[in-house]
PDB file of all heavy atoms in Angstrom:
ATOM      1  N   ILE R 261      54.977 -85.654  14.403  1.00 98.00           N
ATOM      2  CA  ILE R 261      54.957 -84.789  15.580  1.00 98.00           C
ATOM      3  C   ILE R 261      55.075 -83.370  15.138  1.00 98.00           C
ATOM      4  O   ILE R 261      55.844 -83.025  14.198  1.00 98.00           O
ATOM      5  CB  ILE R 261      56.072 -85.196  16.597  1.00 98.00           C
ATOM      6  CG1 ILE R 261      55.882 -84.421  17.896  1.00 98.00           C
ATOM      7  CG2 ILE R 261      57.450 -85.038  15.985  1.00 98.00           C
ATOM      8  CD1 ILE R 261      56.827 -84.925  19.007  1.00 98.00           C
ATOM      9  N   SER R 262      54.366 -82.480  15.820  1.00 98.00           N
ATOM     10  CA  SER R 262      54.476 -81.053  15.543  1.00 98.00           C
ATOM     11  C   SER R 262      54.191 -80.292  16.769  1.00 98.00           C
ATOM     12  O   SER R 262      53.703 -80.827  17.765  1.00 98.00           O
ATOM     13  CB  SER R 262      53.496 -80.641  14.402  1.00 98.00           C
ATOM     14  OG  SER R 262      52.171 -80.873  14.809  1.00 98.00           O
ATOM     15  N   ARG R 263      54.491 -79.002  16.752  1.00 97.00           N
ATOM     16  CA  ARG R 263      54.233 -78.163  17.918  1.00 97.00           C
ATOM     17  C   ARG R 263      53.815 -76.773  17.486  1.00 97.00           C
ATOM     18  O   ARG R 263      54.194 -76.283  16.453  1.00 97.00           O
ATOM     19  CB  ARG R 263      55.479 -78.120  18.864  1.00 97.00           C
ATOM     20  CG  ARG R 263      56.621 -77.393  18.252  1.00 97.00           C
ATOM     21  CD  ARG R 263      57.935 -77.613  19.155  1.00 97.00           C
ATOM     22  NE  ARG R 263      57.743 -76.986  20.445  1.00 97.00           N
ATOM     23  CZ  ARG R 263      58.488 -77.332  21.496  1.00 97.00           C
ATOM     24  NH1 ARG R 263      59.432 -78.249  21.392  1.00 97.00           N
ATOM     25  NH2 ARG R 263      58.291 -76.741  22.668  1.00 97.00           N
ATOM     26  N   ASP R 264      53.038 -76.184  18.380  1.00 96.00           N
ATOM     27  CA  ASP R 264      52.580 -74.794  18.206  1.00 96.00           C
ATOM     28  C   ASP R 264      53.001 -74.030  19.478  1.00 96.00           C
ATOM     29  O   ASP R 264      52.277 -74.147  20.528  1.00 96.00           O
ATOM     30  CB  ASP R 264      51.056 -74.748  17.973  1.00 96.00           C
ATOM     31  CG  ASP R 264      50.567 -73.340  17.689  1.00 96.00           C
ATOM     32  OD1 ASP R 264      51.244 -72.340  18.064  1.00 96.00           O
ATOM     33  OD2 ASP R 264      49.507 -73.215  17.159  1.00 96.00           O
ATOM     34  N   ASN R 265      54.111 -73.335  19.398  1.00 94.00           N
ATOM     35  CA  ASN R 265      54.601 -72.696  20.598  1.00 94.00           C
ATOM     36  C   ASN R 265      53.708 -71.541  21.066  1.00 94.00           C
ATOM     37  O   ASN R 265      53.692 -71.196  22.269  1.00 94.00           O
ATOM     38  CB  ASN R 265      56.051 -72.197  20.368  1.00 94.00           C
ATOM     39  CG  ASN R 265      57.058 -73.335  20.336  1.00 94.00           C
ATOM     40  OD1 ASN R 265      56.764 -74.440  20.768  1.00 94.00           O
ATOM     41  ND2 ASN R 265      58.210 -73.071  19.756  1.00 94.00           N
ATOM     42  N   GLY R 266      52.905 -71.022  20.172  1.00 94.00           N
ATOM     43  CA  GLY R 266      51.964 -69.998  20.573  1.00 94.00           C
ATOM     44  C   GLY R 266      50.819 -70.534  21.416  1.00 94.00           C
ATOM     45  O   GLY R 266      50.185 -69.783  22.154  1.00 94.00           O
ATOM     46  N   LYS R 267      50.544 -71.815  21.230  1.00 96.00           N
ATOM     47  CA  LYS R 267      49.479 -72.458  22.001  1.00 96.00           C
ATOM     48  C   LYS R 267      49.959 -73.404  23.088  1.00 96.00           C
ATOM     49  O   LYS R 267      49.185 -74.111  23.691  1.00 96.00           O
ATOM     50  CB  LYS R 267      48.551 -73.242  21.014  1.00 96.00           C
ATOM     51  CG  LYS R 267      47.804 -72.372  20.055  1.00 96.00           C
ATOM     52  CD  LYS R 267      46.892 -73.175  19.147  1.00 96.00           C
ATOM     53  CE  LYS R 267      46.126 -72.283  18.165  1.00 96.00           C
ATOM     54  NZ  LYS R 267      45.232 -73.072  17.310  1.00 96.00           N
ATOM     55  N   ASN R 268      51.306 -73.485  23.283  1.00 95.00           N
ATOM     56  CA  ASN R 268      51.867 -74.388  24.266  1.00 95.00           C
ATOM     57  C   ASN R 268      51.437 -75.802  24.054  1.00 95.00           C
ATOM     58  O   ASN R 268      51.150 -76.511  24.992  1.00 95.00           O
ATOM     59  CB  ASN R 268      51.523 -73.901  25.682  1.00 95.00           C
ATOM     60  CG  ASN R 268      52.230 -72.637  26.090  1.00 95.00           C
ATOM     61  OD1 ASN R 268      53.032 -72.082  25.323  1.00 95.00           O
ATOM     62  ND2 ASN R 268      51.978 -72.176  27.298  1.00 95.00           N
ATOM     63  N   THR R 269      51.366 -76.227  22.817  1.00 97.00           N
ATOM     64  CA  THR R 269      50.798 -77.530  22.509  1.00 97.00           C
ATOM     65  C   THR R 269      51.722 -78.322  21.549  1.00 97.00           C
ATOM     66  O   THR R 269      52.227 -77.705  20.585  1.00 97.00           O
ATOM     67  CB  THR R 269      49.417 -77.359  21.869  1.00 97.00           C
ATOM     68  OG1 THR R 269      48.586 -76.655  22.733  1.00 97.00           O
ATOM     69  CG2 THR R 269      48.768 -78.725  21.598  1.00 97.00           C
ATOM     70  N   VAL R 270      51.830 -79.573  21.832  1.00 98.00           N
ATOM     71  CA  VAL R 270      52.509 -80.469  20.910  1.00 98.00           C
ATOM     72  C   VAL R 270      51.469 -81.524  20.444  1.00 98.00           C
ATOM     73  O   VAL R 270      50.617 -81.912  21.184  1.00 98.00           O
ATOM     74  CB  VAL R 270      53.714 -81.170  21.571  1.00 98.00           C
ATOM     75  CG1 VAL R 270      53.302 -82.019  22.762  1.00 98.00           C
ATOM     76  CG2 VAL R 270      54.514 -81.969  20.580  1.00 98.00           C
ATOM     77  N   TYR R 271      51.589 -81.925  19.176  1.00 98.00           N
ATOM     78  CA  TYR R 271      50.644 -82.836  18.569  1.00 98.00           C
ATOM     79  C   TYR R 271      51.348 -84.088  18.107  1.00 98.00           C
ATOM     80  O   TYR R 271      52.523 -84.097  17.808  1.00 98.00           O
ATOM     81  CB  TYR R 271      49.983 -82.157  17.377  1.00 98.00           C
ATOM     82  CG  TYR R 271      49.251 -80.859  17.682  1.00 98.00           C
ATOM     83  CD1 TYR R 271      49.892 -79.659  17.452  1.00 98.00           C
ATOM     84  CD2 TYR R 271      47.957 -80.834  18.221  1.00 98.00           C
ATOM     85  CE1 TYR R 271      49.249 -78.466  17.756  1.00 98.00           C
ATOM     86  CE2 TYR R 271      47.318 -79.680  18.504  1.00 98.00           C
ATOM     87  CZ  TYR R 271      47.966 -78.472  18.287  1.00 98.00           C
ATOM     88  OH  TYR R 271      47.334 -77.253  18.529  1.00 98.00           O
ATOM     89  N   LEU R 272      50.531 -85.154  18.007  1.00 98.00           N
ATOM     90  CA  LEU R 272      51.014 -86.398  17.399  1.00 98.00           C
ATOM     91  C   LEU R 272      49.926 -86.874  16.473  1.00 98.00           C
ATOM     92  O   LEU R 272      48.870 -87.364  16.908  1.00 98.00           O
ATOM     93  CB  LEU R 272      51.337 -87.455  18.423  1.00 98.00           C
ATOM     94  CG  LEU R 272      51.975 -88.737  17.835  1.00 98.00           C
ATOM     95  CD1 LEU R 272      53.351 -88.401  17.270  1.00 98.00           C
ATOM     96  CD2 LEU R 272      52.062 -89.834  18.866  1.00 98.00           C
ATOM     97  N   GLN R 273      50.134 -86.649  15.183  1.00 98.00           N
ATOM     98  CA  GLN R 273      49.181 -87.168  14.146  1.00 98.00           C
ATOM     99  C   GLN R 273      49.552 -88.598  13.830  1.00 98.00           C
ATOM    100  O   GLN R 273      50.662 -88.868  13.410  1.00 98.00           O
ATOM    101  CB  GLN R 273      49.237 -86.265  12.939  1.00 98.00           C
ATOM    102  CG  GLN R 273      48.365 -86.755  11.755  1.00 98.00           C
ATOM    103  CD  GLN R 273      46.906 -86.636  12.107  1.00 98.00           C
ATOM    104  OE1 GLN R 273      46.486 -85.613  12.625  1.00 98.00           O
ATOM    105  NE2 GLN R 273      46.106 -87.654  11.788  1.00 98.00           N
ATOM    106  N   MET R 274      48.577 -89.493  14.052  1.00 98.00           N
ATOM    107  CA  MET R 274      48.867 -90.938  13.875  1.00 98.00           C
ATOM    108  C   MET R 274      47.943 -91.448  12.737  1.00 98.00           C
ATOM    109  O   MET R 274      46.733 -91.436  12.842  1.00 98.00           O
ATOM    110  CB  MET R 274      48.584 -91.670  15.156  1.00 98.00           C
ATOM    111  CG  MET R 274      49.332 -91.109  16.365  1.00 98.00           C
ATOM    112  SD  MET R 274      49.117 -92.109  17.844  1.00 98.00           S
ATOM    113  CE  MET R 274      47.374 -91.860  18.157  1.00 98.00           C
ATOM    114  N   ASN R 275      48.576 -91.881  11.640  1.00 98.00           N
ATOM    115  CA  ASN R 275      47.851 -92.414  10.509  1.00 98.00           C
ATOM    116  C   ASN R 275      48.201 -93.866  10.303  1.00 98.00           C
ATOM    117  O   ASN R 275      49.160 -94.381  10.857  1.00 98.00           O
ATOM    118  CB  ASN R 275      48.237 -91.651   9.260  1.00 98.00           C
ATOM    119  CG  ASN R 275      47.844 -90.136   9.344  1.00 98.00           C
ATOM    120  OD1 ASN R 275      46.879 -89.792   9.970  1.00 98.00           O
ATOM    121  ND2 ASN R 275      48.640 -89.322   8.639  1.00 98.00           N
ATOM    122  N   SER R 276      47.378 -94.553   9.537  1.00 98.00           N
ATOM    123  CA  SER R 276      47.584 -95.966   9.237  1.00 98.00           C
ATOM    124  C   SER R 276      47.837 -96.765  10.485  1.00 98.00           C
ATOM    125  O   SER R 276      48.782 -97.575  10.600  1.00 98.00           O
ATOM    126  CB  SER R 276      48.792 -96.136   8.284  1.00 98.00           C
ATOM    127  OG  SER R 276      48.551 -95.373   7.070  1.00 98.00           O
ATOM    128  N   LEU R 277      46.990 -96.548  11.459  1.00 98.00           N
ATOM    129  CA  LEU R 277      47.173 -97.212  12.778  1.00 98.00           C
ATOM    130  C   LEU R 277      47.060 -98.722  12.699  1.00 98.00           C
ATOM    131  O   LEU R 277      46.239 -99.236  11.892  1.00 98.00           O
ATOM    132  CB  LEU R 277      46.166 -96.640  13.779  1.00 98.00           C
ATOM    133  CG  LEU R 277      46.555 -95.259  14.327  1.00 98.00           C
ATOM    134  CD1 LEU R 277      45.371 -94.584  14.936  1.00 98.00           C
ATOM    135  CD2 LEU R 277      47.701 -95.386  15.328  1.00 98.00           C
ATOM    136  N   LYS R 278      47.877 -99.398  13.525  1.00 98.00           N
ATOM    137  CA  LYS R 278      47.896-100.828  13.563  1.00 98.00           C
ATOM    138  C   LYS R 278      47.537-101.265  14.956  1.00 98.00           C
ATOM    139  O   LYS R 278      47.677-100.538  15.934  1.00 98.00           O
ATOM    140  CB  LYS R 278      49.309-101.330  13.214  1.00 98.00           C
ATOM    141  CG  LYS R 278      49.863-100.846  11.898  1.00 98.00           C
ATOM    142  CD  LYS R 278      51.318-101.285  11.699  1.00 98.00           C
ATOM    143  CE  LYS R 278      51.864-100.797  10.397  1.00 98.00           C
ATOM    144  NZ  LYS R 278      53.302-101.197  10.255  1.00 98.00           N
ATOM    145  N   ALA R 279      47.153-102.551  15.091  1.00 97.00           N
ATOM    146  CA  ALA R 279      46.795-103.071  16.387  1.00 97.00           C
ATOM    147  C   ALA R 279      47.959-102.922  17.374  1.00 97.00           C
ATOM    148  O   ALA R 279      47.756-102.667  18.576  1.00 97.00           O
ATOM    149  CB  ALA R 279      46.355-104.516  16.262  1.00 97.00           C
ATOM    150  N   GLU R 280      49.175-103.060  16.822  1.00 97.00           N
ATOM    151  CA  GLU R 280      50.341-102.967  17.739  1.00 97.00           C
ATOM    152  C   GLU R 280      50.645-101.521  18.227  1.00 97.00           C
ATOM    153  O   GLU R 280      51.565-101.366  19.059  1.00 97.00           O
ATOM    154  CB  GLU R 280      51.588-103.564  17.090  1.00 97.00           C
ATOM    155  CG  GLU R 280      51.841-103.022  15.659  1.00 97.00           C
ATOM    156  CD  GLU R 280      51.295-103.958  14.589  1.00 97.00           C
ATOM    157  OE1 GLU R 280      50.118-104.438  14.755  1.00 97.00           O
ATOM    158  OE2 GLU R 280      52.006-104.176  13.605  1.00 97.00           O
ATOM    159  N   ASP R 281      49.918-100.566  17.728  1.00 98.00           N
ATOM    160  CA  ASP R 281      50.023 -99.188  18.241  1.00 98.00           C
ATOM    161  C   ASP R 281      49.186 -99.004  19.504  1.00 98.00           C
ATOM    162  O   ASP R 281      49.303 -97.952  20.149  1.00 98.00           O
ATOM    163  CB  ASP R 281      49.570 -98.201  17.200  1.00 98.00           C
ATOM    164  CG  ASP R 281      50.479 -98.160  15.957  1.00 98.00           C
ATOM    165  OD1 ASP R 281      51.682 -98.251  16.129  1.00 98.00           O
ATOM    166  OD2 ASP R 281      49.931 -98.070  14.850  1.00 98.00           O
ATOM    167  N   THR R 282      48.418 -99.995  19.860  1.00 98.00           N
ATOM    168  CA  THR R 282      47.597 -99.906  21.092  1.00 98.00           C
ATOM    169  C   THR R 282      48.462 -99.755  22.317  1.00 98.00           C
ATOM    170  O   THR R 282      49.395-100.531  22.574  1.00 98.00           O
ATOM    171  CB  THR R 282      46.720-101.161  21.245  1.00 98.00           C
ATOM    172  OG1 THR R 282      45.797-101.203  20.123  1.00 98.00           O
ATOM    173  CG2 THR R 282      45.966-101.149  22.538  1.00 98.00           C
ATOM    174  N   ALA R 283      48.234 -98.665  23.050  1.00 98.00           N
ATOM    175  CA  ALA R 283      49.073 -98.365  24.217  1.00 98.00           C
ATOM    176  C   ALA R 283      48.511 -97.105  24.909  1.00 98.00           C
ATOM    177  O   ALA R 283      47.636 -96.440  24.381  1.00 98.00           O
ATOM    178  CB  ALA R 283      50.509 -98.107  23.820  1.00 98.00           C
ATOM    179  N   VAL R 284      49.056 -96.847  26.063  1.00 98.00           N
ATOM    180  CA  VAL R 284      48.838 -95.538  26.706  1.00 98.00           C
ATOM    181  C   VAL R 284      49.964 -94.605  26.202  1.00 98.00           C
ATOM    182  O   VAL R 284      51.128 -94.970  26.256  1.00 98.00           O
ATOM    183  CB  VAL R 284      48.887 -95.616  28.239  1.00 98.00           C
ATOM    184  CG1 VAL R 284      48.755 -94.166  28.805  1.00 98.00           C
ATOM    185  CG2 VAL R 284      47.759 -96.528  28.726  1.00 98.00           C
ATOM    186  N   TYR R 285      49.569 -93.484  25.652  1.00 98.00           N
ATOM    187  CA  TYR R 285      50.524 -92.502  25.106  1.00 98.00           C
ATOM    188  C   TYR R 285      50.794 -91.363  26.077  1.00 98.00           C
ATOM    189  O   TYR R 285      49.854 -90.777  26.564  1.00 98.00           O
ATOM    190  CB  TYR R 285      50.016 -91.999  23.747  1.00 98.00           C
ATOM    191  CG  TYR R 285      50.195 -92.999  22.651  1.00 98.00           C
ATOM    192  CD1 TYR R 285      49.388 -94.131  22.612  1.00 98.00           C
ATOM    193  CD2 TYR R 285      51.135 -92.799  21.629  1.00 98.00           C
ATOM    194  CE1 TYR R 285      49.556 -95.066  21.570  1.00 98.00           C
ATOM    195  CE2 TYR R 285      51.305 -93.702  20.590  1.00 98.00           C
ATOM    196  CZ  TYR R 285      50.502 -94.856  20.607  1.00 98.00           C
ATOM    197  OH  TYR R 285      50.673 -95.769  19.611  1.00 98.00           O
ATOM    198  N   TYR R 286      52.044 -91.095  26.327  1.00 98.00           N
ATOM    199  CA  TYR R 286      52.472 -90.108  27.259  1.00 98.00           C
ATOM    200  C   TYR R 286      53.228 -88.990  26.576  1.00 98.00           C
ATOM    201  O   TYR R 286      54.090 -89.217  25.726  1.00 98.00           O
ATOM    202  CB  TYR R 286      53.389 -90.705  28.357  1.00 98.00           C
ATOM    203  CG  TYR R 286      52.742 -91.768  29.190  1.00 98.00           C
ATOM    204  CD1 TYR R 286      52.814 -93.094  28.813  1.00 98.00           C
ATOM    205  CD2 TYR R 286      52.092 -91.407  30.348  1.00 98.00           C
ATOM    206  CE1 TYR R 286      52.236 -94.091  29.633  1.00 98.00           C
ATOM    207  CE2 TYR R 286      51.486 -92.403  31.119  1.00 98.00           C
ATOM    208  CZ  TYR R 286      51.567 -93.731  30.762  1.00 98.00           C
ATOM    209  OH  TYR R 286      50.966 -94.701  31.522  1.00 98.00           O
ATOM    210  N   CYS R 287      52.896 -87.789  26.965  1.00 98.00           N
ATOM    211  CA  CYS R 287      53.613 -86.580  26.533  1.00 98.00           C
ATOM    212  C   CYS R 287      54.720 -86.323  27.541  1.00 98.00           C
ATOM    213  O   CYS R 287      54.543 -86.500  28.741  1.00 98.00           O
ATOM    214  CB  CYS R 287      52.585 -85.442  26.511  1.00 98.00           C
ATOM    215  SG  CYS R 287      53.303 -83.820  26.220  1.00 98.00           S
ATOM    216  N   ALA R 288      55.866 -85.854  27.063  1.00 97.00           N
ATOM    217  CA  ALA R 288      56.986 -85.551  27.946  1.00 97.00           C
ATOM    218  C   ALA R 288      57.672 -84.282  27.516  1.00 97.00           C
ATOM    219  O   ALA R 288      57.674 -83.914  26.368  1.00 97.00           O
ATOM    220  CB  ALA R 288      57.979 -86.737  27.909  1.00 97.00           C
ATOM    221  N   SER R 289      58.260 -83.637  28.501  1.00 96.00           N
ATOM    222  CA  SER R 289      58.952 -82.362  28.269  1.00 96.00           C
ATOM    223  C   SER R 289      60.311 -82.374  28.969  1.00 96.00           C
ATOM    224  O   SER R 289      60.412 -82.935  30.060  1.00 96.00           O
ATOM    225  CB  SER R 289      58.119 -81.190  28.827  1.00 96.00           C
ATOM    226  OG  SER R 289      58.816 -79.993  28.802  1.00 96.00           O
ATOM    227  N   GLY R 290      61.299 -81.738  28.366  1.00 93.00           N
ATOM    228  CA  GLY R 290      62.594 -81.723  29.012  1.00 93.00           C
ATOM    229  C   GLY R 290      63.479 -80.662  28.387  1.00 93.00           C
ATOM    230  O   GLY R 290      63.224 -80.118  27.349  1.00 93.00           O
ATOM    231  N   PRO R 291      64.579 -80.350  29.125  1.00 91.00           N
ATOM    232  CA  PRO R 291      65.538 -79.393  28.594  1.00 91.00           C
ATOM    233  C   PRO R 291      66.102 -79.935  27.296  1.00 91.00           C
ATOM    234  O   PRO R 291      66.268 -81.109  27.082  1.00 91.00           O
ATOM    235  CB  PRO R 291      66.651 -79.384  29.674  1.00 91.00           C
ATOM    236  CG  PRO R 291      66.014 -79.897  30.921  1.00 91.00           C
ATOM    237  CD  PRO R 291      64.954 -80.913  30.414  1.00 91.00           C
TER     238      PRO R 291
END
């Protein structure tokens, strides 16, 4: 996981993916 505060963006780089990683992925923000 990484973020670029200048672009208001958070990233999730996913490598070596497995079948069990299959899902809906949600981004979340909080205090």
